[in-house]
Short mmCIF file of all heavy atoms in Angstrom, two decimals:
data_model
loop_
_atom_site.label_atom_id
_atom_site.label_comp_id
_atom_site.label_asym_id
_atom_site.label_seq_id
_atom_site.Cartn_x
_atom_site.Cartn_y
_atom_site.Cartn_z
N ILE A 1 180.18 -70.57 -99.38
CA ILE A 1 179.51 -69.73 -100.38
C ILE A 1 180.38 -69.82 -101.54
O ILE A 1 181.54 -69.58 -101.50
CB ILE A 1 179.35 -68.30 -99.84
CG1 ILE A 1 178.42 -68.31 -98.54
CG2 ILE A 1 178.66 -67.42 -100.91
CD1 ILE A 1 178.27 -66.95 -97.86
N VAL A 2 179.69 -70.06 -102.65
CA VAL A 2 180.38 -70.40 -103.99
C VAL A 2 179.94 -69.40 -105.09
O VAL A 2 178.80 -69.04 -105.08
CB VAL A 2 180.09 -71.80 -104.42
CG1 VAL A 2 180.86 -72.15 -105.71
CG2 VAL A 2 180.54 -72.84 -103.35
N CYS A 3 180.92 -69.04 -105.88
CA CYS A 3 180.57 -68.21 -107.06
C CYS A 3 181.05 -68.93 -108.25
O CYS A 3 182.13 -69.54 -108.22
CB CYS A 3 181.32 -66.81 -106.99
SG CYS A 3 181.06 -65.80 -108.41
N ILE A 4 180.33 -68.97 -109.33
CA ILE A 4 180.60 -69.74 -110.63
C ILE A 4 181.05 -68.60 -111.61
O ILE A 4 180.30 -67.67 -111.88
CB ILE A 4 179.46 -70.50 -111.09
CG1 ILE A 4 179.05 -71.54 -110.05
CG2 ILE A 4 179.90 -71.23 -112.39
CD1 ILE A 4 177.82 -72.37 -110.35
N SER A 5 182.23 -68.88 -112.30
CA SER A 5 182.64 -68.00 -113.24
C SER A 5 182.94 -68.72 -114.59
O SER A 5 183.62 -69.79 -114.57
CB SER A 5 184.04 -67.37 -112.80
OG SER A 5 184.56 -66.47 -113.78
N GLY A 6 182.45 -68.14 -115.69
CA GLY A 6 182.81 -68.76 -116.97
C GLY A 6 182.07 -70.02 -117.32
O GLY A 6 181.14 -70.30 -116.62
N LYS A 7 182.46 -70.71 -118.38
CA LYS A 7 181.85 -71.81 -118.84
C LYS A 7 182.17 -73.06 -118.02
O LYS A 7 183.40 -73.16 -117.50
CB LYS A 7 182.28 -72.13 -120.24
CG LYS A 7 181.60 -71.23 -121.25
CD LYS A 7 181.77 -71.63 -122.64
CE LYS A 7 181.00 -70.64 -123.59
NZ LYS A 7 181.17 -70.81 -124.95
N LEU A 8 181.37 -74.02 -117.82
CA LEU A 8 181.60 -75.18 -117.03
C LEU A 8 181.82 -76.36 -117.95
O LEU A 8 181.33 -76.41 -119.04
CB LEU A 8 180.43 -75.53 -116.14
CG LEU A 8 179.96 -74.44 -115.13
CD1 LEU A 8 178.69 -74.84 -114.45
CD2 LEU A 8 181.05 -74.40 -114.09
N LYS A 9 182.73 -77.34 -117.60
CA LYS A 9 183.03 -78.50 -118.27
C LYS A 9 182.33 -79.70 -117.66
O LYS A 9 181.87 -80.61 -118.36
CB LYS A 9 184.47 -78.69 -118.32
CG LYS A 9 185.25 -77.66 -119.15
CD LYS A 9 186.72 -77.87 -119.13
CE LYS A 9 187.54 -76.73 -119.85
NZ LYS A 9 188.81 -76.83 -119.62
N SER A 10 182.10 -79.66 -116.35
CA SER A 10 181.55 -80.83 -115.66
C SER A 10 180.01 -80.87 -115.53
O SER A 10 179.38 -81.75 -115.14
CB SER A 10 182.28 -81.01 -114.32
OG SER A 10 181.95 -79.82 -113.50
N PHE A 11 179.35 -79.71 -115.85
CA PHE A 11 177.86 -79.61 -115.91
C PHE A 11 177.53 -78.93 -117.11
O PHE A 11 178.20 -78.10 -117.74
CB PHE A 11 177.46 -78.72 -114.64
CG PHE A 11 177.52 -79.45 -113.33
CD1 PHE A 11 178.68 -79.37 -112.62
CD2 PHE A 11 176.41 -80.09 -112.86
CE1 PHE A 11 178.78 -79.93 -111.39
CE2 PHE A 11 176.45 -80.85 -111.69
CZ PHE A 11 177.65 -80.79 -110.88
N LYS A 12 176.23 -79.24 -117.67
CA LYS A 12 175.83 -78.71 -118.90
C LYS A 12 175.45 -77.30 -118.76
O LYS A 12 175.71 -76.41 -119.65
CB LYS A 12 174.54 -79.54 -119.43
CG LYS A 12 174.87 -80.74 -120.07
CD LYS A 12 173.59 -81.45 -120.66
CE LYS A 12 173.95 -82.71 -121.36
NZ LYS A 12 172.81 -83.46 -121.82
N THR A 13 174.89 -76.87 -117.64
CA THR A 13 174.56 -75.47 -117.47
C THR A 13 174.87 -75.02 -116.06
O THR A 13 175.07 -75.83 -115.11
CB THR A 13 172.99 -75.29 -117.55
OG1 THR A 13 172.31 -76.05 -116.50
CG2 THR A 13 172.50 -75.77 -118.93
N LYS A 14 174.89 -73.66 -115.92
CA LYS A 14 175.18 -73.20 -114.54
C LYS A 14 174.01 -73.50 -113.62
O LYS A 14 174.22 -73.64 -112.45
CB LYS A 14 175.37 -71.68 -114.61
CG LYS A 14 176.73 -71.16 -115.13
CD LYS A 14 177.00 -69.69 -115.16
CE LYS A 14 178.31 -69.41 -115.71
NZ LYS A 14 178.63 -67.98 -115.75
N ALA A 15 172.80 -73.58 -114.14
CA ALA A 15 171.67 -73.89 -113.31
C ALA A 15 171.87 -75.28 -112.77
O ALA A 15 171.55 -75.57 -111.53
CB ALA A 15 170.41 -73.83 -114.14
N ASP A 16 172.34 -76.28 -113.45
CA ASP A 16 172.54 -77.64 -112.97
C ASP A 16 173.61 -77.61 -111.93
O ASP A 16 173.48 -78.24 -110.95
CB ASP A 16 173.11 -78.57 -114.17
CG ASP A 16 172.07 -78.87 -115.15
OD1 ASP A 16 170.86 -78.63 -114.84
OD2 ASP A 16 172.36 -79.36 -116.19
N ALA A 17 174.67 -76.83 -112.15
CA ALA A 17 175.75 -76.73 -111.16
C ALA A 17 175.32 -76.08 -109.91
O ALA A 17 175.51 -76.48 -108.80
CB ALA A 17 176.94 -75.91 -111.71
N THR A 18 174.55 -75.09 -110.13
CA THR A 18 173.91 -74.27 -108.91
C THR A 18 173.08 -75.25 -108.09
O THR A 18 173.19 -75.36 -106.87
CB THR A 18 173.11 -73.13 -109.42
OG1 THR A 18 173.98 -72.24 -110.04
CG2 THR A 18 172.58 -72.39 -108.22
N ALA A 19 172.20 -76.00 -108.76
CA ALA A 19 171.30 -77.00 -108.02
C ALA A 19 172.13 -77.96 -107.30
O ALA A 19 171.73 -78.33 -106.17
CB ALA A 19 170.42 -77.62 -109.06
N SER A 20 173.14 -78.52 -107.93
CA SER A 20 174.05 -79.47 -107.19
C SER A 20 174.73 -78.89 -105.99
O SER A 20 174.78 -79.52 -105.01
CB SER A 20 175.03 -80.05 -108.17
OG SER A 20 174.41 -80.77 -109.19
N LEU A 21 175.24 -77.70 -106.11
CA LEU A 21 175.85 -77.05 -105.00
C LEU A 21 174.86 -76.84 -103.87
O LEU A 21 175.19 -77.07 -102.72
CB LEU A 21 176.50 -75.67 -105.38
CG LEU A 21 177.77 -75.82 -106.23
CD1 LEU A 21 177.98 -74.45 -106.97
CD2 LEU A 21 178.96 -76.16 -105.32
N ILE A 22 173.64 -76.33 -104.22
CA ILE A 22 172.72 -76.05 -103.15
C ILE A 22 172.34 -77.44 -102.52
O ILE A 22 172.19 -77.48 -101.25
CB ILE A 22 171.45 -75.33 -103.79
CG1 ILE A 22 171.88 -73.93 -104.13
CG2 ILE A 22 170.27 -75.36 -102.76
CD1 ILE A 22 170.78 -73.14 -104.94
N ALA A 23 172.19 -78.47 -103.25
CA ALA A 23 171.82 -79.81 -102.71
C ALA A 23 172.92 -80.30 -101.76
O ALA A 23 172.59 -81.01 -100.80
CB ALA A 23 171.56 -80.79 -103.79
N ALA A 24 174.12 -79.80 -102.00
CA ALA A 24 175.33 -80.29 -101.17
C ALA A 24 175.44 -79.30 -99.93
O ALA A 24 176.47 -79.49 -99.23
CB ALA A 24 176.60 -80.24 -102.10
N GLY A 25 174.62 -78.34 -99.86
CA GLY A 25 174.59 -77.44 -98.71
C GLY A 25 175.37 -76.13 -98.92
O GLY A 25 175.59 -75.43 -97.99
N PHE A 26 175.69 -75.83 -100.09
CA PHE A 26 176.36 -74.53 -100.41
C PHE A 26 175.44 -73.46 -100.78
O PHE A 26 174.30 -73.76 -101.34
CB PHE A 26 177.35 -74.75 -101.58
CG PHE A 26 178.57 -75.60 -101.26
CD1 PHE A 26 178.57 -76.92 -101.49
CD2 PHE A 26 179.70 -75.06 -100.56
CE1 PHE A 26 179.70 -77.71 -101.20
CE2 PHE A 26 180.82 -75.77 -100.30
CZ PHE A 26 180.83 -77.15 -100.62
N GLU A 27 175.82 -72.22 -100.54
CA GLU A 27 175.04 -71.06 -101.09
C GLU A 27 175.76 -70.60 -102.31
O GLU A 27 176.99 -70.62 -102.39
CB GLU A 27 175.06 -70.00 -100.02
CG GLU A 27 174.15 -68.80 -100.30
CD GLU A 27 174.15 -67.84 -99.13
OE1 GLU A 27 174.44 -68.12 -97.97
OE2 GLU A 27 173.95 -66.59 -99.53
N VAL A 28 175.12 -70.18 -103.30
CA VAL A 28 175.63 -69.71 -104.57
C VAL A 28 175.42 -68.22 -104.78
O VAL A 28 174.32 -67.83 -104.70
CB VAL A 28 175.15 -70.59 -105.75
CG1 VAL A 28 175.79 -70.10 -107.10
CG2 VAL A 28 175.34 -72.05 -105.58
N LYS A 29 176.49 -67.48 -104.95
CA LYS A 29 176.33 -65.96 -105.26
C LYS A 29 176.75 -65.77 -106.69
O LYS A 29 177.63 -66.37 -107.26
CB LYS A 29 177.30 -65.25 -104.32
CG LYS A 29 177.00 -65.33 -102.83
CD LYS A 29 176.14 -64.23 -102.35
CE LYS A 29 175.64 -64.39 -100.91
NZ LYS A 29 175.92 -63.26 -100.04
N PRO A 30 176.17 -64.64 -107.27
CA PRO A 30 176.51 -64.35 -108.67
C PRO A 30 177.80 -63.60 -108.84
O PRO A 30 178.34 -63.58 -109.93
CB PRO A 30 175.35 -63.41 -109.12
CG PRO A 30 174.83 -62.81 -107.81
CD PRO A 30 175.11 -63.84 -106.76
N SER A 31 178.37 -63.08 -107.73
CA SER A 31 179.60 -62.28 -107.90
C SER A 31 180.51 -62.58 -106.69
O SER A 31 180.08 -63.05 -105.73
CB SER A 31 179.36 -60.75 -108.02
OG SER A 31 178.63 -60.37 -106.82
N VAL A 32 181.74 -62.24 -106.79
CA VAL A 32 182.80 -62.45 -105.82
C VAL A 32 182.65 -61.34 -104.69
O VAL A 32 182.79 -60.23 -105.03
CB VAL A 32 184.22 -62.50 -106.37
CG1 VAL A 32 185.28 -62.64 -105.21
CG2 VAL A 32 184.36 -63.54 -107.32
N THR A 33 182.16 -61.73 -103.52
CA THR A 33 182.01 -60.77 -102.41
C THR A 33 182.86 -61.27 -101.31
O THR A 33 183.49 -62.36 -101.42
CB THR A 33 180.49 -60.83 -101.98
OG1 THR A 33 180.17 -62.03 -101.41
CG2 THR A 33 179.56 -60.43 -103.09
N LYS A 34 182.91 -60.55 -100.19
CA LYS A 34 183.72 -60.91 -99.06
C LYS A 34 183.37 -62.20 -98.37
O LYS A 34 184.03 -62.82 -97.71
CB LYS A 34 183.80 -59.88 -98.08
CG LYS A 34 182.56 -59.46 -97.38
CD LYS A 34 182.85 -58.31 -96.37
CE LYS A 34 181.63 -58.01 -95.47
NZ LYS A 34 180.29 -58.04 -95.95
N ASP A 35 182.01 -62.58 -98.60
CA ASP A 35 181.49 -63.82 -98.09
C ASP A 35 181.92 -65.06 -98.79
O ASP A 35 181.78 -66.24 -98.30
CB ASP A 35 179.92 -63.77 -98.10
CG ASP A 35 179.41 -62.61 -97.49
OD1 ASP A 35 180.08 -62.01 -96.51
OD2 ASP A 35 178.19 -62.20 -97.65
N VAL A 36 182.33 -64.98 -100.19
CA VAL A 36 182.54 -66.10 -100.97
C VAL A 36 183.80 -66.83 -100.50
O VAL A 36 184.83 -66.15 -100.24
CB VAL A 36 182.70 -65.73 -102.47
CG1 VAL A 36 183.17 -66.83 -103.31
CG2 VAL A 36 181.34 -65.14 -102.95
N THR A 37 183.75 -68.17 -100.38
CA THR A 37 184.80 -69.05 -99.93
C THR A 37 185.54 -69.75 -101.12
O THR A 37 186.55 -70.22 -101.06
CB THR A 37 184.39 -70.01 -98.84
OG1 THR A 37 183.33 -70.77 -99.32
CG2 THR A 37 184.02 -69.23 -97.59
N HIS A 38 184.66 -70.07 -102.14
CA HIS A 38 185.08 -70.77 -103.29
C HIS A 38 184.61 -70.27 -104.57
O HIS A 38 183.48 -69.81 -104.72
CB HIS A 38 184.57 -72.24 -103.31
CG HIS A 38 185.09 -73.10 -102.23
ND1 HIS A 38 184.62 -72.91 -100.87
CD2 HIS A 38 186.10 -73.99 -102.02
CE1 HIS A 38 185.21 -73.78 -99.96
NE2 HIS A 38 186.12 -74.44 -100.79
N LEU A 39 185.55 -70.23 -105.61
CA LEU A 39 185.15 -69.75 -106.92
C LEU A 39 185.33 -70.98 -107.88
O LEU A 39 186.44 -71.58 -107.91
CB LEU A 39 186.11 -68.56 -107.37
CG LEU A 39 185.84 -68.17 -108.82
CD1 LEU A 39 184.52 -67.30 -108.89
CD2 LEU A 39 187.03 -67.38 -109.34
N VAL A 40 184.33 -71.13 -108.71
CA VAL A 40 184.45 -72.31 -109.71
C VAL A 40 184.82 -71.63 -111.07
O VAL A 40 184.15 -70.67 -111.49
CB VAL A 40 183.02 -72.98 -109.85
CG1 VAL A 40 183.18 -74.01 -110.99
CG2 VAL A 40 182.59 -73.58 -108.59
N ASN A 41 185.97 -72.04 -111.63
CA ASN A 41 186.50 -71.57 -112.87
C ASN A 41 187.12 -72.82 -113.59
O ASN A 41 188.14 -73.16 -113.44
CB ASN A 41 187.54 -70.51 -112.72
CG ASN A 41 188.07 -70.02 -114.00
OD1 ASN A 41 187.81 -70.52 -115.09
ND2 ASN A 41 188.82 -68.96 -113.92
N GLU A 42 186.26 -73.48 -114.43
CA GLU A 42 186.66 -74.65 -115.16
C GLU A 42 187.28 -74.36 -116.47
O GLU A 42 187.95 -75.14 -117.11
CB GLU A 42 185.53 -75.63 -115.32
CG GLU A 42 185.03 -76.11 -113.98
CD GLU A 42 183.93 -77.30 -114.16
OE1 GLU A 42 183.29 -77.32 -115.29
OE2 GLU A 42 183.73 -78.04 -113.22
N SER A 43 187.07 -73.09 -116.94
CA SER A 43 187.57 -72.71 -118.23
C SER A 43 189.06 -72.50 -118.34
O SER A 43 189.67 -72.67 -119.37
CB SER A 43 186.87 -71.46 -118.71
OG SER A 43 187.24 -70.35 -118.06
N GLY A 44 189.63 -72.15 -117.17
CA GLY A 44 191.11 -71.95 -117.09
C GLY A 44 191.37 -70.51 -117.61
O GLY A 44 192.58 -70.07 -117.57
N ILE A 45 190.35 -69.74 -118.02
CA ILE A 45 190.64 -68.37 -118.41
C ILE A 45 190.65 -67.46 -117.20
O ILE A 45 189.74 -67.53 -116.33
CB ILE A 45 189.44 -67.93 -119.34
CG1 ILE A 45 189.57 -68.87 -120.64
CG2 ILE A 45 189.57 -66.53 -119.77
CD1 ILE A 45 188.32 -68.74 -121.51
N GLU A 46 191.66 -66.62 -117.17
CA GLU A 46 191.73 -65.71 -116.03
C GLU A 46 190.83 -64.53 -116.19
O GLU A 46 191.14 -63.63 -116.80
CB GLU A 46 193.20 -65.25 -116.02
CG GLU A 46 193.58 -64.45 -114.79
CD GLU A 46 193.88 -65.26 -113.47
OE1 GLU A 46 193.98 -66.46 -113.61
OE2 GLU A 46 193.83 -64.63 -112.41
N THR A 47 189.67 -64.70 -115.49
CA THR A 47 188.68 -63.65 -115.49
C THR A 47 188.92 -62.65 -114.41
O THR A 47 189.72 -62.84 -113.60
CB THR A 47 187.25 -64.20 -115.41
OG1 THR A 47 187.14 -64.85 -114.10
CG2 THR A 47 186.93 -65.31 -116.47
N ALA A 48 188.08 -61.54 -114.50
CA ALA A 48 188.22 -60.54 -113.45
C ALA A 48 187.81 -61.14 -112.10
O ALA A 48 188.45 -60.99 -111.05
CB ALA A 48 187.38 -59.30 -113.72
N LYS A 49 186.86 -62.01 -112.15
CA LYS A 49 186.34 -62.76 -110.93
C LYS A 49 187.52 -63.60 -110.38
O LYS A 49 187.69 -63.60 -109.15
CB LYS A 49 185.17 -63.60 -111.18
CG LYS A 49 183.95 -62.89 -111.30
CD LYS A 49 182.73 -63.85 -111.49
CE LYS A 49 181.39 -63.20 -111.71
NZ LYS A 49 180.32 -64.14 -111.96
N THR A 50 188.20 -64.31 -111.28
CA THR A 50 189.30 -65.24 -110.81
C THR A 50 190.42 -64.39 -110.24
O THR A 50 190.91 -64.84 -109.16
CB THR A 50 189.86 -66.01 -112.07
OG1 THR A 50 188.73 -66.58 -112.80
CG2 THR A 50 190.79 -67.09 -111.58
N GLU A 51 190.79 -63.23 -110.82
CA GLU A 51 191.78 -62.43 -110.36
C GLU A 51 191.49 -61.93 -108.97
O GLU A 51 192.20 -61.95 -108.02
CB GLU A 51 192.07 -61.26 -111.31
CG GLU A 51 193.37 -60.48 -110.95
CD GLU A 51 193.62 -59.43 -111.90
OE1 GLU A 51 193.26 -59.55 -113.13
OE2 GLU A 51 194.31 -58.48 -111.55
N LYS A 52 190.18 -61.47 -108.71
CA LYS A 52 189.80 -60.87 -107.54
C LYS A 52 189.81 -62.03 -106.39
O LYS A 52 190.22 -61.78 -105.32
CB LYS A 52 188.32 -60.35 -107.64
CG LYS A 52 187.80 -59.79 -106.41
CD LYS A 52 186.43 -59.05 -106.64
CE LYS A 52 185.92 -58.35 -105.40
NZ LYS A 52 184.53 -57.80 -105.61
N ALA A 53 189.36 -63.23 -106.80
CA ALA A 53 189.30 -64.34 -105.88
C ALA A 53 190.72 -64.65 -105.46
O ALA A 53 191.02 -64.86 -104.28
CB ALA A 53 188.61 -65.64 -106.56
N ARG A 54 191.63 -64.76 -106.51
CA ARG A 54 193.09 -65.17 -106.16
C ARG A 54 193.65 -64.16 -105.14
O ARG A 54 194.29 -64.47 -104.21
CB ARG A 54 193.83 -65.14 -107.35
CG ARG A 54 195.14 -65.98 -107.34
CD ARG A 54 195.92 -65.95 -108.59
NE ARG A 54 195.18 -66.40 -109.76
CZ ARG A 54 194.84 -67.63 -110.08
NH1 ARG A 54 195.09 -68.63 -109.29
NH2 ARG A 54 194.13 -67.87 -111.25
N LEU A 55 193.35 -62.82 -105.44
CA LEU A 55 193.90 -61.71 -104.45
C LEU A 55 193.28 -61.76 -103.08
O LEU A 55 193.90 -61.35 -102.19
CB LEU A 55 193.70 -60.36 -105.16
CG LEU A 55 194.51 -60.06 -106.44
CD1 LEU A 55 194.10 -58.82 -107.12
CD2 LEU A 55 196.02 -60.08 -106.16
N SER A 56 191.99 -62.29 -103.04
CA SER A 56 191.32 -62.45 -101.78
C SER A 56 191.60 -63.65 -101.03
O SER A 56 191.09 -63.97 -99.95
CB SER A 56 189.86 -62.19 -102.06
OG SER A 56 189.48 -60.99 -102.62
N GLY A 57 192.38 -64.58 -101.60
CA GLY A 57 192.67 -65.87 -100.92
C GLY A 57 191.60 -66.83 -101.05
O GLY A 57 191.47 -67.79 -100.15
N ILE A 58 190.64 -66.71 -102.05
CA ILE A 58 189.47 -67.66 -102.20
C ILE A 58 189.99 -68.88 -102.94
O ILE A 58 190.73 -68.78 -103.85
CB ILE A 58 188.43 -66.88 -102.93
CG1 ILE A 58 187.84 -65.74 -102.06
CG2 ILE A 58 187.30 -67.84 -103.33
CD1 ILE A 58 186.90 -64.84 -102.80
N THR A 59 189.48 -69.97 -102.50
CA THR A 59 189.82 -71.24 -103.13
C THR A 59 189.18 -71.33 -104.52
O THR A 59 188.04 -71.15 -104.68
CB THR A 59 189.35 -72.41 -102.23
OG1 THR A 59 189.94 -72.38 -101.01
CG2 THR A 59 189.67 -73.84 -102.91
N ILE A 60 190.08 -71.73 -105.52
CA ILE A 60 189.58 -71.78 -106.89
C ILE A 60 189.40 -73.22 -107.32
O ILE A 60 190.42 -73.92 -107.16
CB ILE A 60 190.50 -71.01 -107.85
CG1 ILE A 60 190.50 -69.56 -107.49
CG2 ILE A 60 190.09 -71.14 -109.33
CD1 ILE A 60 191.48 -68.68 -108.15
N ILE A 61 188.28 -73.58 -107.72
CA ILE A 61 187.90 -74.96 -108.15
C ILE A 61 187.89 -75.12 -109.59
O ILE A 61 187.21 -74.33 -110.29
CB ILE A 61 186.54 -75.33 -107.59
CG1 ILE A 61 186.53 -75.20 -106.07
CG2 ILE A 61 186.09 -76.73 -107.99
CD1 ILE A 61 185.04 -75.08 -105.50
N ASP A 62 188.70 -76.07 -110.13
CA ASP A 62 188.77 -76.26 -111.57
C ASP A 62 187.97 -77.43 -112.09
O ASP A 62 187.83 -77.70 -113.28
CB ASP A 62 190.27 -76.24 -112.12
CG ASP A 62 191.01 -77.43 -111.54
OD1 ASP A 62 190.42 -78.21 -110.81
OD2 ASP A 62 192.25 -77.35 -111.68
N ASN A 63 187.45 -78.19 -111.15
CA ASN A 63 186.57 -79.29 -111.56
C ASN A 63 185.50 -79.40 -110.49
O ASN A 63 185.76 -80.08 -109.41
CB ASN A 63 187.28 -80.60 -111.68
CG ASN A 63 186.42 -81.73 -112.31
OD1 ASN A 63 185.27 -81.87 -111.92
ND2 ASN A 63 186.98 -82.44 -113.15
N LEU A 64 184.36 -78.96 -110.73
CA LEU A 64 183.23 -78.91 -109.76
C LEU A 64 182.73 -80.30 -109.43
O LEU A 64 182.46 -80.56 -108.22
CB LEU A 64 182.06 -77.98 -110.27
CG LEU A 64 180.88 -77.81 -109.30
CD1 LEU A 64 181.46 -77.23 -107.95
CD2 LEU A 64 179.83 -76.91 -109.84
N LYS A 65 182.62 -81.23 -110.30
CA LYS A 65 182.22 -82.53 -110.06
C LYS A 65 183.16 -83.24 -109.03
O LYS A 65 182.66 -83.86 -108.10
CB LYS A 65 181.99 -83.41 -111.28
CG LYS A 65 180.65 -83.39 -111.85
CD LYS A 65 180.38 -84.68 -112.63
CE LYS A 65 178.91 -84.82 -112.97
NZ LYS A 65 178.41 -84.10 -114.09
N SER A 66 184.43 -83.14 -109.23
CA SER A 66 185.30 -83.68 -108.34
C SER A 66 185.26 -83.12 -106.97
O SER A 66 185.32 -83.79 -105.87
CB SER A 66 186.79 -83.51 -108.83
OG SER A 66 186.97 -84.30 -110.00
N PHE A 67 185.10 -81.70 -106.94
CA PHE A 67 184.94 -81.06 -105.61
C PHE A 67 183.74 -81.54 -104.88
O PHE A 67 183.79 -81.84 -103.66
CB PHE A 67 184.94 -79.50 -105.93
CG PHE A 67 184.50 -78.76 -104.76
CD1 PHE A 67 185.50 -78.47 -103.73
CD2 PHE A 67 183.25 -78.23 -104.53
CE1 PHE A 67 185.15 -77.74 -102.56
CE2 PHE A 67 182.95 -77.44 -103.44
CZ PHE A 67 183.89 -77.24 -102.37
N LEU A 68 182.66 -81.77 -105.56
CA LEU A 68 181.41 -82.19 -104.94
C LEU A 68 181.52 -83.65 -104.48
O LEU A 68 180.79 -83.99 -103.51
CB LEU A 68 180.20 -82.00 -105.79
CG LEU A 68 179.76 -80.59 -106.04
CD1 LEU A 68 178.76 -80.37 -107.18
CD2 LEU A 68 179.19 -79.96 -104.83
N GLU A 69 182.33 -84.41 -105.07
CA GLU A 69 182.40 -85.80 -104.72
C GLU A 69 183.37 -86.02 -103.47
O GLU A 69 183.33 -87.03 -102.85
CB GLU A 69 183.14 -86.62 -105.90
CG GLU A 69 182.00 -86.82 -106.99
CD GLU A 69 182.62 -87.37 -108.36
OE1 GLU A 69 183.86 -87.65 -108.37
OE2 GLU A 69 181.87 -87.48 -109.25
N GLU A 70 184.15 -85.00 -103.18
CA GLU A 70 185.07 -85.11 -102.04
C GLU A 70 184.39 -85.11 -100.69
O GLU A 70 183.30 -84.56 -100.56
CB GLU A 70 186.11 -83.94 -102.03
CG GLU A 70 187.13 -83.99 -103.16
CD GLU A 70 188.06 -82.89 -103.13
OE1 GLU A 70 187.99 -81.97 -102.23
OE2 GLU A 70 188.81 -82.75 -104.06
#
């Protein structure tokens, strides 16, 4: 389960990123919950979502395209 935070660099819109994640078999949530396993933060800005994810041990992805290619 993935949450997207902030602006993306590897996709034009969050909708494009969400569609790619769903196509790859991921579920996308609007906020960081206990179910979330990955947080996408390509801006590098430490948001409240990023801080919460870091404290919860959630994997933070800084390049979604690279992550999806793995």
Side-chain angles (χ1 to χ4, degrees):
I1 300 176
V2 180
C3 175
I4 300 172
S5 174
K7 290 189 174 174
L8 297 172
K9 294 177 183 169
S10 61
F11 285 88
K12 282 187 178 171
T13 65
K14 285 186 180 180
D16 290 345
T18 299
S20 292
L21 284 162
I22 291 169
F26 291 96
E27 186 178 334
V28 180
K29 296 264 176 127
S31 59
V32 176
T33 64
K34 65 181 188 324
D35 303 336
V36 172
T37 57
H38 294 78
L39 175 77
V40 177
N41 179 351
E42 293 187 342
S43 68
I45 297 168
E46 188 76 16
T47 62
K49 283 183 184 177
T50 311
E51 190 176 337
K52 183 175 181 181
R54 199 179 311 283
L55 293 171
S56 302
I58 293 170
T59 303
I60 297 173
I61 300 163
D62 59 8
N63 188 319
L64 185 55
K65 264 211 166 83
S66 294
F67 171 74
L68 288 171
E69 288 169 1
E70 286 179 9

